[in-house]
Structure formats: C-alpha cells, structure tokens
Amino acid sequence: MGRETALARTEAIYERIRRIVPRAEWIGFADDVDAILRLKRERNAVILAHNYQTPEIFHGVADLVGDSLALARMARDTEAEVIVMAGVHFMAETAKLLNPDRTVLIPDMEAGCSLADSITPADIRALRAAHPGLPVVTYVNTSAAVKAESDICCTSGNARAVVESLGVPRVIMLPDEYLARNIAAETDVEIVTWPGHCEVHERFTPAEVRELREAYPGVVVLAHPECPPDVVAEADFSGSTAGMSAYVATHKPPRLVLLTECSMSDNVALGHPDLDFIRPCNLCPHMKRITLGNIRRALEENRHEVTIETGLAAPARRAVERMLAVA
Ligand code: 13P
Ligand code: SF4
C-alpha cells in the first residue's frame, strides 16, 4: 500500500525519465524519491546535483543542477537551511566555504576525486619555491587545504578567463595537467603544470575518436577539457559539462558523442529525444557513490556534515571568491 502511494505520487517525475529508466527500476526508486521530497520540505533543504549524477537523482530529486561553477554559485546564493551535495567531496567543501552558516551534507564521505587526491598543500609550497613569484591557479577539484595555499581557483568553465585575469605572462595551474595544457593551447599565458589527471577522462584516446567517426559518420564530438590534449584536438568542441549541454541546446547536432562521464549523456539526451547520442561509457566511481538511498539517509540522519578546519576556511574562501568575481 505504502509503495503504491509513493509510486502514484512520483508518477509525474517518472514521466520525465521513462525513456532512460525502465519501469521495473523506478519501482525500486519511488519510495526513496517520495521520502526525499518530503524530507526536503520538512528540513528546508535543497539538493544540488552535478551533471554526472544518475537520471533518477538529476531529474528526480535535485532542485538545482549544473557544472562545478554553477553549483558553487548556487551554493553561495541559496537561502535553504540545508544543502545536500549530490556530487563529490570537493564540491561539498566549496559549498560550505561559500555558505558557512548552512548545514552542508554529503551522502557519502568517500565520494572523492583522483584530481583532488593528486596534490597536497606541501606540493604547492614546493612549486612556489621552484617558481618564485608565479601566481597559483587551482582547479576547484581540490581539497580546502590546497585551495587555502592558492591565489585563485578556476573551474573548467572559466579557466582561461581566470588565467588571463591575472595579467601576468606565466602562471602555475594545478593539479590537472591536461586541463592546464588545453588552456595553454588557447592563451598566450605560459602555464606551469602539475601531473594530476582525472581517472575518467584520461582514458579517452585519439584513436577512439577516429574509430567513432568511422563507425558513426557525421558524428559531432564534444570533449571535456580534462581529456588529454590529443583527444581535445580531435574533437569538434571542448567545454565544461555545462558548456557541452549549452552546445547541444544551441547546435542540436543530429548525431553526437560526449567524451565525459556516462550519466551526462543520459541527462542531456532526456532533453533532446530527437538527437542520436552515441554513448561510450566511462563511469566516475566517486560520483556513483551517491545514491537515492544515501541521499535519503543524509536528510533523515543529518549526515555526513561537511566542516572546514579553522584556519583553512578564510584563505580557501578567498581563492574561490576571487574566482567568482572573474567569471
Ligand atoms: P565540470 O565543472 O565541467 O562540471 O567538471 C567537473 C568534473 O569533475 C569533471 O570531471
Ligand atoms: Fe574527479 Fe574525474 Fe570524477 Fe570529475 S570525473 S569527480 S574529475 S575523478
């Protein structure tokens, strides 16, 4: 009886994703979705979801969705008392930095990121010593401790604007070597890199792009700038996850492939039933730790609350706010 009621109450939501999510799966989701909608009202909570979240989260329970830059802005601006981050830990930390008076919850503390794990504050201090006077531009895919050692942050959506805003001929950009090299190809600013990589995007290869073009004539290839530069060079467009969504909405390529995390294609395809999405699938195991079940528990049990060590919050916030002032 309870399940039937939850199914009935969530039917309109299911209608939005039925092309991707089979009815049999939704029967298993409906109870959690129904409970999460109630808990959000009771706790004055919002769910912020990254573009890589699965469709039942992204289209089913999220209030606000976007790329890292959009999520940071939304976290700063929300009036809700509780922010649940359906994303990875650095995104939740950024939300807490920008809205310290709110409760910020992440449904799984282990939802990390290979880029965030690739660098420590001590590494930045060593880089500064090796390159005296160069400003440090830090990708948001890092811990608060690393941000606190940085001059300014960037995301894949504003990296070039941030680098050029500094008005200097040379910068350090870390930890994503490929993002840094892809931006270096677009600007006259010289960039010192760090050998961090995204474990999802580093797997794409130029040979794979050529094979896709051969197998699917006319396919338009969109690549995230965390992909290796030789992959980006073979693509028709490169941009952040929001940049790729906007490209699809504007250009409506009849046949396309997004070289990024798998769920992104599902989420974008739902808005464009007429387009033919080719879907090579690279999953982010960290993003996939977030589920309807642990979002529900996060709201029921107020866990896991994200906190920032005293002493780190002010300098880390300054680097993120400096970024938001640029673009
Ligand atoms: P975006 O800022 O483009 O959404 O990228 C975040 C991310 O983690 C990509 O792997
Ligand atoms: Fe980190 Fe890559 Fe996963 Fe994004 S897709 S969260 S960069 S590991």
Side-chain angles (χ1 to χ4, degrees), residues 50-52 66-69 88 90-91 113 139 141 155-157 198 201 224 226 239-242 260 287:
H50 186 260
N51 291 324
Y52 295 162
D67 66 359
S68 308
L69 181 58
V88 292
F90 76 80
M91 295 175 177
C113 170
Y139 197 26
N141 297 38
T155 71
S156 59
C198 162
H201 293 92
H224 194 276
E226 289 171 11
S240 76
T241 55
T260 192
M287 288 280 180

PDB file of all heavy atoms in Angstrom, residues 50-52 66-69 88 90-91 113 139 141 155-157 198 201 224 226 239-242 260 287, ligand 1:
ATOM      1  N   HIS A  50      25.373  17.466  -9.446  1.00  0.00           N
ATOM      2  CA  HIS A  50      26.279  17.653 -10.583  1.00  0.00           C
ATOM      3  C   HIS A  50      25.723  16.927 -11.810  1.00  0.00           C
ATOM      4  O   HIS A  50      24.964  15.951 -11.687  1.00  0.00           O
ATOM      5  CB  HIS A  50      27.688  17.128 -10.238  1.00  0.00           C
ATOM      6  CG  HIS A  50      28.674  17.435 -11.319  1.00  0.00           C
ATOM      7  ND1 HIS A  50      29.052  16.498 -12.254  1.00  0.00           N
ATOM      8  CD2 HIS A  50      29.320  18.590 -11.642  1.00  0.00           C
ATOM      9  CE1 HIS A  50      29.916  17.064 -13.097  1.00  0.00           C
ATOM     10  NE2 HIS A  50      30.094  18.328 -12.743  1.00  0.00           N
ATOM     11  N   ASN A  51      26.159  17.398 -12.979  1.00  0.00           N
ATOM     12  CA  ASN A  51      25.692  16.821 -14.252  1.00  0.00           C
ATOM     13  C   ASN A  51      25.999  15.334 -14.390  1.00  0.00           C
ATOM     14  O   ASN A  51      25.449  14.680 -15.267  1.00  0.00           O
ATOM     15  CB  ASN A  51      26.343  17.574 -15.418  1.00  0.00           C
ATOM     16  CG  ASN A  51      25.813  18.994 -15.539  1.00  0.00           C
ATOM     17  OD1 ASN A  51      24.648  19.243 -15.305  1.00  0.00           O
ATOM     18  ND2 ASN A  51      26.680  19.944 -15.899  1.00  0.00           N
ATOM     19  N   TYR A  52      26.889  14.779 -13.566  1.00  0.00           N
ATOM     20  CA  TYR A  52      27.237  13.357 -13.662  1.00  0.00           C
ATOM     21  C   TYR A  52      26.361  12.462 -12.779  1.00  0.00           C
ATOM     22  O   TYR A  52      26.605  11.263 -12.688  1.00  0.00           O
ATOM     23  CB  TYR A  52      28.695  13.120 -13.259  1.00  0.00           C
ATOM     24  CG  TYR A  52      29.738  13.734 -14.159  1.00  0.00           C
ATOM     25  CD1 TYR A  52      31.053  13.908 -13.713  1.00  0.00           C
ATOM     26  CD2 TYR A  52      29.447  14.121 -15.447  1.00  0.00           C
ATOM     27  CE1 TYR A  52      32.027  14.460 -14.524  1.00  0.00           C
ATOM     28  CE2 TYR A  52      30.417  14.683 -16.264  1.00  0.00           C
ATOM     29  CZ  TYR A  52      31.699  14.857 -15.792  1.00  0.00           C
ATOM     30  OH  TYR A  52      32.674  15.402 -16.588  1.00  0.00           O
ATOM     31  N   GLY A  66      23.981  21.401 -12.335  1.00  0.00           N
ATOM     32  CA  GLY A  66      24.915  22.157 -13.157  1.00  0.00           C
ATOM     33  C   GLY A  66      26.325  21.624 -13.084  1.00  0.00           C
ATOM     34  O   GLY A  66      26.575  20.535 -12.559  1.00  0.00           O
ATOM     35  N   ASP A  67      27.244  22.432 -13.637  1.00  0.00           N
ATOM     36  CA  ASP A  67      28.672  22.087 -13.569  1.00  0.00           C
ATOM     37  C   ASP A  67      29.236  22.627 -12.248  1.00  0.00           C
ATOM     38  O   ASP A  67      28.516  23.219 -11.438  1.00  0.00           O
ATOM     39  CB  ASP A  67      29.429  22.606 -14.803  1.00  0.00           C
ATOM     40  CG  ASP A  67      29.475  24.131 -14.894  1.00  0.00           C
ATOM     41  OD1 ASP A  67      28.901  24.820 -14.021  1.00  0.00           O
ATOM     42  OD2 ASP A  67      30.090  24.641 -15.846  1.00  0.00           O
ATOM     43  N   SER A  68      30.552  22.460 -12.042  1.00  0.00           N
ATOM     44  CA  SER A  68      31.131  22.865 -10.750  1.00  0.00           C
ATOM     45  C   SER A  68      30.955  24.364 -10.490  1.00  0.00           C
ATOM     46  O   SER A  68      30.727  24.769  -9.347  1.00  0.00           O
ATOM     47  CB  SER A  68      32.634  22.564 -10.723  1.00  0.00           C
ATOM     48  OG  SER A  68      32.869  21.255 -11.064  1.00  0.00           O
ATOM     49  N   LEU A  69      31.078  25.148 -11.545  1.00  0.00           N
ATOM     50  CA  LEU A  69      30.966  26.603 -11.384  1.00  0.00           C
ATOM     51  C   LEU A  69      29.543  26.979 -10.980  1.00  0.00           C
ATOM     52  O   LEU A  69      29.325  27.742 -10.032  1.00  0.00           O
ATOM     53  CB  LEU A  69      31.362  27.292 -12.707  1.00  0.00           C
ATOM     54  CG  LEU A  69      31.337  28.813 -12.725  1.00  0.00           C
ATOM     55  CD1 LEU A  69      32.263  29.383 -11.649  1.00  0.00           C
ATOM     56  CD2 LEU A  69      31.752  29.338 -14.103  1.00  0.00           C
ATOM     57  N   VAL A  88      30.698  15.270  -5.558  1.00  0.00           N
ATOM     58  CA  VAL A  88      31.830  14.715  -4.803  1.00  0.00           C
ATOM     59  C   VAL A  88      32.274  15.684  -3.701  1.00  0.00           C
ATOM     60  O   VAL A  88      31.790  16.810  -3.609  1.00  0.00           O
ATOM     61  CB  VAL A  88      32.989  14.319  -5.751  1.00  0.00           C
ATOM     62  CG1 VAL A  88      32.567  13.128  -6.601  1.00  0.00           C
ATOM     63  CG2 VAL A  88      33.430  15.468  -6.606  1.00  0.00           C
ATOM     64  N   PHE A  90      34.845  17.558  -2.901  1.00  0.00           N
ATOM     65  CA  PHE A  90      35.356  18.927  -3.073  1.00  0.00           C
ATOM     66  C   PHE A  90      34.205  19.889  -3.377  1.00  0.00           C
ATOM     67  O   PHE A  90      34.273  21.076  -3.045  1.00  0.00           O
ATOM     68  CB  PHE A  90      36.468  18.982  -4.140  1.00  0.00           C
ATOM     69  CG  PHE A  90      36.007  18.903  -5.576  1.00  0.00           C
ATOM     70  CD1 PHE A  90      35.491  20.004  -6.238  1.00  0.00           C
ATOM     71  CD2 PHE A  90      36.120  17.714  -6.291  1.00  0.00           C
ATOM     72  CE1 PHE A  90      35.069  19.932  -7.560  1.00  0.00           C
ATOM     73  CE2 PHE A  90      35.711  17.626  -7.607  1.00  0.00           C
ATOM     74  CZ  PHE A  90      35.179  18.739  -8.245  1.00  0.00           C
ATOM     75  N   MET A  91      33.147  19.400  -4.025  1.00  0.00           N
ATOM     76  CA  MET A  91      32.002  20.265  -4.334  1.00  0.00           C
ATOM     77  C   MET A  91      31.265  20.637  -3.043  1.00  0.00           C
ATOM     78  O   MET A  91      30.813  21.781  -2.881  1.00  0.00           O
ATOM     79  CB  MET A  91      31.049  19.551  -5.300  1.00  0.00           C
ATOM     80  CG  MET A  91      31.681  19.299  -6.652  1.00  0.00           C
ATOM     81  SD  MET A  91      30.628  18.326  -7.743  1.00  0.00           S
ATOM     82  CE  MET A  91      31.659  18.328  -9.225  1.00  0.00           C
ATOM     83  N   CYS A 113      37.900  12.250  -5.549  1.00  0.00           N
ATOM     84  CA  CYS A 113      38.228  12.673  -6.922  1.00  0.00           C
ATOM     85  C   CYS A 113      39.715  12.421  -7.113  1.00  0.00           C
ATOM     86  O   CYS A 113      40.523  12.810  -6.262  1.00  0.00           O
ATOM     87  CB  CYS A 113      37.908  14.154  -7.090  1.00  0.00           C
ATOM     88  SG  CYS A 113      38.511  14.863  -8.630  1.00  0.00           S
ATOM     89  N   TYR A 139      42.525  24.412  -9.702  1.00  0.00           N
ATOM     90  CA  TYR A 139      41.234  23.860 -10.135  1.00  0.00           C
ATOM     91  C   TYR A 139      40.391  23.588  -8.889  1.00  0.00           C
ATOM     92  O   TYR A 139      40.930  23.158  -7.853  1.00  0.00           O
ATOM     93  CB  TYR A 139      41.543  22.553 -10.872  1.00  0.00           C
ATOM     94  CG  TYR A 139      40.448  21.997 -11.752  1.00  0.00           C
ATOM     95  CD1 TYR A 139      39.476  22.802 -12.333  1.00  0.00           C
ATOM     96  CD2 TYR A 139      40.410  20.628 -12.039  1.00  0.00           C
ATOM     97  CE1 TYR A 139      38.501  22.260 -13.161  1.00  0.00           C
ATOM     98  CE2 TYR A 139      39.439  20.083 -12.865  1.00  0.00           C
ATOM     99  CZ  TYR A 139      38.478  20.904 -13.419  1.00  0.00           C
ATOM    100  OH  TYR A 139      37.523  20.361 -14.231  1.00  0.00           O
ATOM    101  N   ASN A 141      38.667  21.196  -8.253  1.00  0.00           N
ATOM    102  CA  ASN A 141      38.737  19.772  -7.905  1.00  0.00           C
ATOM    103  C   ASN A 141      39.924  19.516  -6.983  1.00  0.00           C
ATOM    104  O   ASN A 141      40.857  18.771  -7.293  1.00  0.00           O
ATOM    105  CB  ASN A 141      38.917  18.917  -9.168  1.00  0.00           C
ATOM    106  CG  ASN A 141      37.756  19.011 -10.139  1.00  0.00           C
ATOM    107  OD1 ASN A 141      37.184  20.083 -10.308  1.00  0.00           O
ATOM    108  ND2 ASN A 141      37.408  17.915 -10.774  1.00  0.00           N
ATOM    109  N   THR A 155      37.432  26.772 -12.609  1.00  0.00           N
ATOM    110  CA  THR A 155      36.756  25.535 -12.994  1.00  0.00           C
ATOM    111  C   THR A 155      37.046  25.331 -14.477  1.00  0.00           C
ATOM    112  O   THR A 155      37.661  26.192 -15.123  1.00  0.00           O
ATOM    113  CB  THR A 155      35.231  25.619 -12.783  1.00  0.00           C
ATOM    114  OG1 THR A 155      34.699  26.505 -13.780  1.00  0.00           O
ATOM    115  CG2 THR A 155      34.866  26.109 -11.400  1.00  0.00           C
ATOM    116  N   SER A 156      36.548  24.224 -15.027  1.00  0.00           N
ATOM    117  CA  SER A 156      36.763  24.024 -16.464  1.00  0.00           C
ATOM    118  C   SER A 156      35.953  25.045 -17.265  1.00  0.00           C
ATOM    119  O   SER A 156      36.239  25.277 -18.432  1.00  0.00           O
ATOM    120  CB  SER A 156      36.361  22.599 -16.858  1.00  0.00           C
ATOM    121  OG  SER A 156      35.014  22.378 -16.537  1.00  0.00           O
ATOM    122  N   GLY A 157      34.948  25.671 -16.622  1.00  0.00           N
ATOM    123  CA  GLY A 157      34.114  26.640 -17.329  1.00  0.00           C
ATOM    124  C   GLY A 157      34.706  28.040 -17.388  1.00  0.00           C
ATOM    125  O   GLY A 157      34.267  28.863 -18.195  1.00  0.00           O
ATOM    126  N   CYS A 198      42.402  13.234 -14.287  1.00  0.00           N
ATOM    127  CA  CYS A 198      41.094  12.672 -13.945  1.00  0.00           C
ATOM    128  C   CYS A 198      41.072  11.224 -14.438  1.00  0.00           C
ATOM    129  O   CYS A 198      41.294  10.976 -15.627  1.00  0.00           O
ATOM    130  CB  CYS A 198      39.980  13.480 -14.614  1.00  0.00           C
ATOM    131  SG  CYS A 198      38.440  12.546 -14.673  1.00  0.00           S
ATOM    132  N   HIS A 201      38.491  10.839 -17.505  1.00  0.00           N
ATOM    133  CA  HIS A 201      38.774  11.462 -18.807  1.00  0.00           C
ATOM    134  C   HIS A 201      40.107  11.049 -19.405  1.00  0.00           C
ATOM    135  O   HIS A 201      40.285  11.104 -20.616  1.00  0.00           O
ATOM    136  CB  HIS A 201      38.688  12.982 -18.668  1.00  0.00           C
ATOM    137  CG  HIS A 201      37.298  13.458 -18.394  1.00  0.00           C
ATOM    138  ND1 HIS A 201      36.819  13.646 -17.114  1.00  0.00           N
ATOM    139  CD2 HIS A 201      36.264  13.719 -19.226  1.00  0.00           C
ATOM    140  CE1 HIS A 201      35.555  14.033 -17.179  1.00  0.00           C
ATOM    141  NE2 HIS A 201      35.192  14.082 -18.436  1.00  0.00           N
ATOM    142  N   HIS A 224      35.327  16.928 -22.807  1.00  0.00           N
ATOM    143  CA  HIS A 224      35.601  17.733 -21.613  1.00  0.00           C
ATOM    144  C   HIS A 224      37.097  18.085 -21.606  1.00  0.00           C
ATOM    145  O   HIS A 224      37.928  17.257 -22.001  1.00  0.00           O
ATOM    146  CB  HIS A 224      35.240  16.928 -20.358  1.00  0.00           C
ATOM    147  CG  HIS A 224      35.179  17.776 -19.131  1.00  0.00           C
ATOM    148  ND1 HIS A 224      36.304  18.098 -18.398  1.00  0.00           N
ATOM    149  CD2 HIS A 224      34.136  18.395 -18.525  1.00  0.00           C
ATOM    150  CE1 HIS A 224      35.937  18.873 -17.383  1.00  0.00           C
ATOM    151  NE2 HIS A 224      34.626  19.060 -17.437  1.00  0.00           N
ATOM    152  N   GLU A 226      39.216  18.011 -19.380  1.00  0.00           N
ATOM    153  CA  GLU A 226      40.065  17.106 -18.596  1.00  0.00           C
ATOM    154  C   GLU A 226      40.579  15.951 -19.462  1.00  0.00           C
ATOM    155  O   GLU A 226      41.399  15.146 -19.005  1.00  0.00           O
ATOM    156  CB  GLU A 226      39.281  16.537 -17.401  1.00  0.00           C
ATOM    157  CG  GLU A 226      39.007  17.570 -16.328  1.00  0.00           C
ATOM    158  CD  GLU A 226      38.056  17.059 -15.256  1.00  0.00           C
ATOM    159  OE1 GLU A 226      37.769  15.852 -15.221  1.00  0.00           O
ATOM    160  OE2 GLU A 226      37.590  17.880 -14.444  1.00  0.00           O
ATOM    161  N   GLY A 239      34.456  21.820 -23.749  1.00  0.00           N
ATOM    162  CA  GLY A 239      33.928  22.739 -22.744  1.00  0.00           C
ATOM    163  C   GLY A 239      33.551  21.989 -21.488  1.00  0.00           C
ATOM    164  O   GLY A 239      33.538  20.744 -21.467  1.00  0.00           O
ATOM    165  N   SER A 240      33.230  22.755 -20.460  1.00  0.00           N
ATOM    166  CA  SER A 240      32.800  22.161 -19.188  1.00  0.00           C
ATOM    167  C   SER A 240      31.526  21.359 -19.422  1.00  0.00           C
ATOM    168  O   SER A 240      30.921  21.422 -20.503  1.00  0.00           O
ATOM    169  CB  SER A 240      32.527  23.269 -18.173  1.00  0.00           C
ATOM    170  OG  SER A 240      31.292  23.895 -18.473  1.00  0.00           O
ATOM    171  N   THR A 241      31.065  20.658 -18.406  1.00  0.00           N
ATOM    172  CA  THR A 241      29.836  19.883 -18.592  1.00  0.00           C
ATOM    173  C   THR A 241      28.670  20.821 -18.952  1.00  0.00           C
ATOM    174  O   THR A 241      27.870  20.492 -19.835  1.00  0.00           O
ATOM    175  CB  THR A 241      29.519  19.056 -17.330  1.00  0.00           C
ATOM    176  OG1 THR A 241      29.458  19.912 -16.188  1.00  0.00           O
ATOM    177  CG2 THR A 241      30.567  17.986 -17.104  1.00  0.00           C
ATOM    178  N   ALA A 242      28.621  22.001 -18.341  1.00  0.00           N
ATOM    179  CA  ALA A 242      27.556  22.956 -18.699  1.00  0.00           C
ATOM    180  C   ALA A 242      27.786  23.488 -20.114  1.00  0.00           C
ATOM    181  O   ALA A 242      26.831  23.708 -20.869  1.00  0.00           O
ATOM    182  CB  ALA A 242      27.522  24.110 -17.705  1.00  0.00           C
ATOM    183  N   THR A 260      32.920  12.224 -21.907  1.00  0.00           N
ATOM    184  CA  THR A 260      32.891  12.595 -20.489  1.00  0.00           C
ATOM    185  C   THR A 260      32.204  11.467 -19.735  1.00  0.00           C
ATOM    186  O   THR A 260      32.034  10.372 -20.282  1.00  0.00           O
ATOM    187  CB  THR A 260      32.204  13.976 -20.321  1.00  0.00           C
ATOM    188  OG1 THR A 260      32.421  14.442 -19.012  1.00  0.00           O
ATOM    189  CG2 THR A 260      30.719  13.941 -20.616  1.00  0.00           C
ATOM    190  N   MET A 287      31.480   9.749  -8.180  1.00  0.00           N
ATOM    191  CA  MET A 287      30.136  10.317  -8.382  1.00  0.00           C
ATOM    192  C   MET A 287      29.077   9.235  -8.128  1.00  0.00           C
ATOM    193  O   MET A 287      27.997   9.519  -7.608  1.00  0.00           O
ATOM    194  CB  MET A 287      30.002  10.836  -9.813  1.00  0.00           C
ATOM    195  CG  MET A 287      30.790  12.097 -10.081  1.00  0.00           C
ATOM    196  SD  MET A 287      29.892  13.532  -9.452  1.00  0.00           S
ATOM    197  CE  MET A 287      31.043  14.849  -9.903  1.00  0.00           C
TER     198      MET A 287
HETATM  199  P1  13P B   1      32.608  20.472 -14.644  1.00  0.00           P
HETATM  200  O1  13P B   1      32.970  21.658 -13.832  1.00  0.00           O
HETATM  201  O2  13P B   1      32.838  20.674 -16.117  1.00  0.00           O
HETATM  202  O3  13P B   1      31.211  20.043 -14.358  1.00  0.00           O
HETATM  203  O4  13P B   1      33.581  19.283 -14.280  1.00  0.00           O
HETATM  204  C1  13P B   1      33.647  18.733 -13.014  1.00  0.00           C
HETATM  205  C2  13P B   1      34.260  17.416 -13.028  1.00  0.00           C
HETATM  206  O5  13P B   1      34.520  16.819 -12.024  1.00  0.00           O
HETATM  207  C3  13P B   1      34.552  16.871 -14.332  1.00  0.00           C
HETATM  208  O6  13P B   1      35.123  15.653 -14.218  1.00  0.00           O
END
